[in-house]
């Protein structure tokens, strides 16, 4: 990625957050134990990433909601759309994470670590949580860009797991 170009590119004025209500891995589309190319290590890496998302997304929602009262209409609409999208993301990761635990993965230590890290924000000013949210969402965008731009990362994945 050309960082100079990324830094110099402003957010488009007509950018809209459009929540997408998609469901993955329901019904017949169950994931295999090693859903990523039958590779237990690659599967475990992405499973661990998914485990961090529900509590992280809850943190993001709480952080943003603290700034919605009195926000200009455009920003208020963006906050509402962001919140709706994060709720749907959470729902899908909770469902996926049930599969992870059903496959015998013990996520308790990772779950406790997520709690420990998020607890660092407790008692701090709301703007600090918002800043952490912005930083983590940028990190998520970098990961997503890499995953979407290079199909090798999810080659051989169960269809719904790869789509999620």
């Amino acid at each position: 990625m050309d960082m100079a170009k990324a830094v110099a590119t402003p957010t488009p004025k007509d950018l809209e957050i459009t929540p997408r209500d998609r469901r993955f891995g329901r019904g017949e589309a169950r994931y295999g134990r090693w859903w990523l190319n039958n590779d237990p290590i690659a599967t475990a890496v992405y499973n661990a990433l998914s485990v961090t998302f529900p509590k992280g997304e809850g943190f993001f929602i709480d952080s943003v909601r603290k700034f919605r009262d009195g926000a200009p209409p455009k920003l208020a609409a963006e906050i509402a759309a962001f919140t709706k999208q994060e709720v749907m993301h959470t729902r899908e990761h909770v469902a996926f994470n049930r599969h992870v635990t059903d496959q015998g993965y013990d996520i308790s230590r990772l779950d406790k670590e997520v709690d420990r890290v998020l607890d660092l924000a407790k008692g701090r000013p709301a703007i600090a949580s918002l800043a952490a949210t912005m930083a983590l969402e940028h990190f998520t965008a970098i990961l997503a860009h890499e995953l979407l731009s290079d199909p090798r990362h999810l080659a051989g994945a169960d269809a719904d797991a790869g789509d999620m």
Side-chain angles (χ1 to χ4, degrees):
M1 173 183 233
D2 182 353
M3 293 307 292
K5 183 178 179 184
V7 171
T9 305
T11 301
K13 297 214 181 297
D14 63 346
L15 180 72
E16 290 186 34
I17 299 170
T18 305
R20 294 172 294 152
D21 190 4
R22 299 209 37 213
R23 294 170 192 263
F24 302 93
R26 308 301 204 282
E28 297 293 317
R30 294 285 179 200
Y31 310 119
R33 174 172 170 75
W34 297 327
W35 58 265
L36 183 49
N37 204 25
N38 206 33
D39 181 339
I41 295 169
T43 298
V45 167
Y46 286 100
N47 287 352
L49 184 62
S50 181
V51 167
T52 69
F53 281 16
K55 288 181 180 182
E57 289 168 338
F59 174 80
F60 297 168
I61 291 166
D62 291 342
S63 298
V64 170
R65 280 184 176 162
K66 291 176 183 168
F67 293 90
R68 71 180 170 192
D69 292 341
K74 183 176 183 336
L75 181 57
E78 290 171 344
I79 290 170
F82 174 82
T83 299
K84 186 174 182 180
Q85 185 66 53
E86 291 301 301
V87 166
M88 288 185 278
H89 283 168
T90 300
R91 177 195 69 208
E92 292 310 297
H93 283 285
V94 166
F96 182 84
N97 294 347
R98 271 194 300 269
H99 164 76
V100 170
T101 58
D102 288 349
Q103 296 303 310
Y105 290 93
D106 178 3
I107 65 170
S108 61
R109 287 178 38 200
L110 182 54
D111 207 35
K112 285 178 186 171
E113 180 62 13
V114 171
D115 288 338
R116 186 192 70 74
V117 170
L118 293 177
D119 281 348
L120 295 172
K122 288 185 178 173
R124 298 191 188 268
I127 195 70
S129 293
L130 184 62
T133 294
M134 291 185 300
L136 289 167
E137 284 288 36
H138 277 84
F139 182 70
T140 301
I142 291 166
L143 287 174
H145 178 270
E146 182 61 28
L147 284 173
L148 294 171
S149 65
D150 187 345
R152 293 177 298 175
H153 292 293
L154 295 171
D158 288 1
D160 268 9
D163 287 348
M164 186 179 76

